[in-house]
Amino acid sequence: MKELKVSDLSKTYGDKVLFDQISFIIHEHDRIGLIGVNGTGKTSLLSILAGFQTDDSDKKHVFYPTDYRIGYLSQDSHLDPNKNVLEAVFQGENEQVHIVKQYE
């Protein structure tokens, strides 16, 4: 069974500690909810898991199988204003999206 492991992960912004040495495991087929008020580190945690941000140390804290894939949808849209909705949807790198595009 595949799993994502996080071990002793910490993140701060200046004097603000978002999380300090958190550890958890997400097993294959788990469904996870992340709840918290603004500014508590939800986006930072997800960005670190997806590989878009780093934590506060040089050590590796996020572990998952090499064939594991993490999808991440940013809060901020980075859409090309010159493309219509269908073109924006089909610009993704998802294999299934490419198959549908070829079919269409």
Side-chain angles (χ1 to χ4, degrees):
M1 177 178 283
K2 296 179 184 180
E3 58 189 20
L4 179 140
K5 294 180 186 179
V6 174
S7 178
D8 299 322
L9 185 66
S10 299
K11 183 68 176 178
T12 58
Y13 281 107
D15 292 338
K16 183 170 184 161
V17 177
L18 298 179
F19 36 89
D20 185 27
Q21 295 184 325
I22 62 171
S23 298
F24 57 89
I25 297 174
I26 301 174
H27 299 284
E28 188 174 12
H29 304 298
D30 281 355
R31 300 293 180 251
I32 306 300
L34 192 56
I35 301 169
V37 298
N38 290 345
T40 57
K42 300 179 303 293
T43 300
S44 295
L45 175 60
L46 294 174
S47 295
I48 291 169
L49 295 180
F52 296 119
Q53 276 190 38
T54 59
D55 65 325
D56 289 342
S57 74
D58 293 331
K59 296 180 183 178
K60 184 173 180 172
H61 296 278
V62 180
F63 306 91
Y64 48 84
T66 55
D67 62 342
Y68 211 74
R69 189 176 73 193
I70 296 177
Y72 179 82
L73 180 61
S74 174
Q75 293 183 59
D76 304 316
S77 64
H78 302 284
L79 299 175
D80 183 344
N82 298 318
K83 292 186 178 180
N84 64 36
V85 173
L86 193 57
E87 291 169 333
V89 168
F90 284 141
Q91 78 180 9
E93 297 180 20
N94 184 301
E95 180 182 346
Q96 293 162 328
V97 170
H98 285 287
I99 291 170
V100 171
K101 181 179 179 182
Q102 288 175 344
Y103 176 79
E104 293 295 326

